[in-house]
Amino acid sequence: MRNNKFKNLLSLFVLLISLSGFSQELATPFAVADKTPVYPGCESLTGNDQKDCTVERITNHVNKNFNTALGKELNLSGRQRIVVKFVIGKDGEIRDVESRSLAKKAEVRASLQAEASRVIKSLPKMQAGEFEGEKVAIAYALPIEFATPQKENKNR
């Protein structure tokens, strides 16, 4: 009896995991898309100029909106790096945002990752990317790096 309950629970668990995998759309890598997503304001450009404009506008958005004062608040020094992966959906919306920091302290990692995710989620809706003539979700990865002042050596 107990073994049957365990098997039923295990089956339900496997079913839930497999169903959750279907809820996320598959994403085409940014580099292989026939037409990359288009950031607002880049629509009048074509080809690589449009792609470069989109990359530049995403980077500028992050640079403008990332709270670099967080480094001081967290008492950090030197370069901080967070890598953010996200998807620009078939509808142009940002989704599936994941960020990763290699900071040693868990609370610092969590703060940096939360800030990176917040900024990426604030990106505007874009025109969808295309692959083989169809609108597709596009996977995008962005390293975010900022420098905080080095702490002075007080032993001098």
Side-chain angles (χ1 to χ4, degrees), residues 38-142:
V38 181
Y39 196 96
C42 299
E43 299 89 352
S44 64
L45 301 171
T46 58
N48 282 336
D49 290 338
Q50 193 174 63
K51 179 180 177 179
D52 292 345
C53 179
T54 295
V55 170
E56 183 180 329
R57 297 270 177 112
I58 289 172
T59 302
N60 288 344
H61 176 88
V62 171
N63 289 342
K64 181 180 176 186
N65 293 288
F66 192 91
N67 178 12
T68 56
L70 192 59
K72 188 173 183 178
E73 292 171 24
L74 296 170
N75 199 27
L76 301 175
S77 67
R79 294 200 174 277
Q80 306 303 315
R81 183 177 169 97
I82 308 107
V83 176
V84 186
K85 296 177 185 178
F86 58 98
V87 172
I88 303 167
K90 290 180 188 181
D91 58 0
E93 297 287 344
I94 304 300
R95 61 176 54 95
D96 302 334
V97 179
E98 297 177 20
S99 57
R100 180 168 167 88
S101 163
L102 297 178
K104 292 179 182 173
K105 293 182 178 178
E107 63 273 9
V108 171
R109 267 194 319 275
S111 294
L112 293 174
Q113 290 170 179
E115 178 61 8
S117 293
R118 180 195 69 77
V119 171
I120 295 301
K121 289 176 182 176
S122 73
L123 283 165
K125 183 175 180 176
M126 300 181 210
Q127 286 182 8
E130 294 182 13
F131 185 71
E132 297 179 351
E134 300 274 328
K135 287 185 178 184
V136 294
I138 302 290
Y140 196 96
L142 178 72

